[in-house]
Amino acid sequence: MTAPPVPVASTARGWSLANTIDAIGTGRFAPELAVHLREVAKSDHCAIFRLQDDTMHLVDRADVYARDYDSLAPFERYVNEQHWRHDPSFNAARTRGAKCPVLVRIDPHEIADTTLREDIYLSHNVCDRIVLSGQRGGSLFGLSVIRTDEMGDFSDADIQRLMDEAEILIALISRHADLLEASACGPASLISLPLIENRLGSLFDCLSQRE
């Protein structure tokens, strides 16, 4: 006997995850991921990093408010000026090997490195930060999830929901990074702002970061 169809109730969190999956490998991925993380943990910003051969790459980033990318400039400084080397979150993940996802919570006020603490975080009103890290295909991937003073600190429930989704989030960001890398020389490279910046920088050394 065939059972009658059962309607499945949708949730904002389910929809946002579905939209994120649909956007993998495109310029919509980071904004959709930011919306999903807002549903999961009420975060304001997110950034995806890839550590490979001792070189950190900024894969993508987004602001949940869809503001100008100048508001996300600290992520670029974090990579370009090598501040990530003084970040306890990535140091912890590298030490553990991160074969399984690792969650590290950072209080920006307690970071020892002055530039990282003051210029990258506190001057941009960052009050709480979580980094989810995991190994995929020889690279260490990190998802930085940030709360500003406006939202306050992450709650225990927020952290638990991030932990519950850790495996799938690492899988999503690593797949997105691989697709962007594979398409870096093709038309798809023009839909990701970090890739556009990298391509222009390689062509015109005289351009400033702002230009």
Side-chain angles (χ1 to χ4, degrees):
M1 181 178 67
T2 302
V6 179
V8 178
S10 61
T11 64
R13 190 172 155 194
W15 274 112
S16 63
L17 179 58
N19 289 338
T20 303
I21 293 171
D22 285 342
I24 290 177
T26 76
R28 296 185 296 108
F29 179 80
E32 293 290 0
L33 178 61
V35 171
H36 178 61
L37 292 172
R38 181 71 159 195
E39 294 292 340
V40 173
K42 301 181 181 68
S43 58
D44 295 295
H45 313 293
C46 68
I48 303 166
F49 300 98
R50 182 177 198 161
L51 180 61
Q52 188 173 30
D53 299 327
D54 200 41
T55 300
M56 183 69 77
H57 304 276
L58 174 60
V59 176
D60 219 337
R61 69 268 199 268
D63 181 324
V64 73
Y65 306 107
R67 291 181 292 206
D68 187 273
Y69 268 92
D70 281 351
S71 66
L72 304 178
F75 295 128
E76 294 163 353
R77 289 194 62 191
Y78 177 85
V79 172
N80 296 337
E81 298 177 13
Q82 302 291 301
H83 295 298
W84 66 270
R85 294 188 183 277
H86 306 286
D87 187 343
S89 60
F90 276 105
N91 288 334
R94 296 173 80 185
T95 301
R96 293 177 59 91
K99 292 182 179 179
C100 295
V102 173
L103 184 148
V104 179
R105 185 181 185 184
I106 300 294
D107 181 346
H109 297 84
E110 298 179 0
I111 294 176
D113 184 83
T114 302
T115 302
L116 189 61
R117 182 183 66 247
E118 300 295 337
D119 296 347
I120 303 298
Y121 294 125
L122 298 185
S123 65
H124 294 275
N125 302 316
V126 174
C127 71
D128 206 354
R129 177 174 180 251
I130 287 175
V131 175
L132 284 173
S133 302
Q135 293 277 2
R136 286 292 189 281
S139 296
L140 177 65
F141 290 92
L143 174 61
S144 180
V145 187
I146 286 176
R147 290 274 285 268
T148 62
D149 294 333
E150 181 181 353
M151 294 301 297
D153 293 345
F154 291 105
S155 68
D156 291 343
D158 296 328
I159 295 170
Q160 185 58 57
R161 286 191 293 270
L162 284 171
M163 292 175 65
D164 291 343
E165 292 198 4
E167 291 278 7
I168 190 168
L169 288 171
I170 295 299
L172 288 175
I173 65 173
S174 62
R175 180 59 176 161
H176 176 63
D178 287 344
L179 288 175
L180 288 184
E181 184 177 46
S183 63
C185 295
S189 64
L190 299 179
I191 60 176
S192 170
L193 185 59
L195 284 175
I196 292 171
E197 292 170 345
N198 290 338
R199 294 282 300 278
L200 289 174
S202 65
L203 292 172
F204 304 102
D205 294 336
C206 60
L207 288 179
S208 68
Q209 183 64 39
R210 173 68 178 174
E211 290 170 324

